[in-house]
Amino acid sequence: LNEETVKLTFAALADPQVSNYMFERERVFHGVGDDIANSSVDIDALLIAGDIAENGLQCEFDTIASHIADAPVSHYIMATGNHDMRLRLYKQSTKRFCDFTNGLNAGVESDLTIDKVRYSYEINGYTFIVMGTDKTEFEEAYKKYGENIHFLMVNSTDGSQETIETAKEFIVSEGYTFPVYYDTKSNASI
């Protein structure tokens, strides 16, 4: 490798699944952030591919950002995984993920901004094509295996951020046919 001809340096990791209740993952991710921060190489991009957060929660994305926002990188390339999108309204999850990615990039004065989970971006003549998870695959699995497997979809319905009515509207609007149960007392979530 001739360092004189290198046009792009990036760090990549996948599947950190940082969680608001599995604290060991945050500790490991914190170490990754420290490693990147202590790099002796200028990093053009930090790529995190899929399942960045365990449940796509704002608090999880905030935790992730706190560990990498000061990394010596020029751009943040983020790709969703099913964990980032699976348990929330699709539009809400997309906005949360885009805001997370855009906030990181604004912090390093990158011109990369996204408004959807699939995008492309060029850095130093190299194009990153991001094909993140678009929607959940539960409906497909239910249609394929529903006669042999009992699916239990539990919707955390707190009554303020989401009600049973808004959840039902979403399920109908998306054409989902799997059975859904509503957890109005947060008994199924930690």
Side-chain angles (χ1 to χ4, degrees):
L1 175 68
N2 181 345
E3 290 185 25
E4 303 271 325
T5 61
V6 172
K7 296 181 185 178
L8 178 70
T9 303
F10 67 96
L13 62 131
D15 242 14
Q17 295 182 357
V18 173
S19 167
N20 66 329
Y21 58 91
M22 291 184 259
F23 304 112
E24 179 64 16
R25 291 180 183 176
E26 180 185 350
R27 188 188 67 72
V28 170
F29 193 78
H30 179 79
V32 169
D34 286 348
D35 288 346
I36 292 168
N38 294 320
S39 171
S40 61
V41 176
D42 291 332
I43 302 171
D44 295 307
L46 172 58
L47 166 67
I48 304 180
D51 292 346
I52 296 169
E54 173 65 22
N55 295 300
L57 299 173
Q58 185 64 52
C59 63
E60 293 171 340
F61 286 120
D62 291 345
T63 297
I64 295 159
S66 74
H67 293 305
I68 61 173
D70 295 328
V73 302
S74 300
H75 307 279
Y76 291 90
I77 308 289
M78 303 288 140
T80 59
N82 68 312
H83 282 247
D84 301 310
M85 307 293 284
R86 67 186 172 151
L87 301 176
R88 306 285 174 258
L89 294 173
Y90 178 71
K91 287 181 185 176
Q92 178 187 42
S93 296
T94 299
K95 182 178 183 329
R96 182 178 296 126
F97 186 83
C98 291
D99 288 350
F100 161 71
T101 301
N102 294 339
L104 288 169
N105 280 302
V108 294
E109 299 180 5
S110 169
D111 64 351
L112 171 58
T113 57
I114 62 171
D115 61 1
K116 53 190 171 199
V117 298
R118 293 182 177 177
Y119 62 98
S120 63
Y121 188 73
E122 185 177 307
I123 302 172
N124 301 345
Y126 295 92
T127 302
F128 288 82
I129 301 171
V130 178
M131 303 291 290
T133 295
D134 198 320
K135 290 195 176 191
T136 64
E137 298 169 354
F138 292 134
E139 179 66 16
E140 262 181 54
Y142 176 70
K143 286 179 178 178
K144 186 173 183 177
Y145 304 110
E147 291 183 18
N148 301 317
I149 298 173
H150 296 285
F151 283 75
L152 296 174
M153 303 302 180
V154 179
N155 185 287
S156 293
T157 311
D158 67 1
S160 60
Q161 290 183 0
E162 184 171 59
T163 64
I164 292 175
E165 292 76 28
T166 59
K168 285 182 178 179
E169 287 172 16
F170 171 75
I171 291 162
V172 168
S173 73
E174 294 296 318
Y176 294 145
T177 59
F178 48 68
V180 177
Y181 302 89
Y182 302 93
D183 177 17
T184 59
K185 297 182 185 199
S186 297
N187 293 324
S189 59
I190 294 176

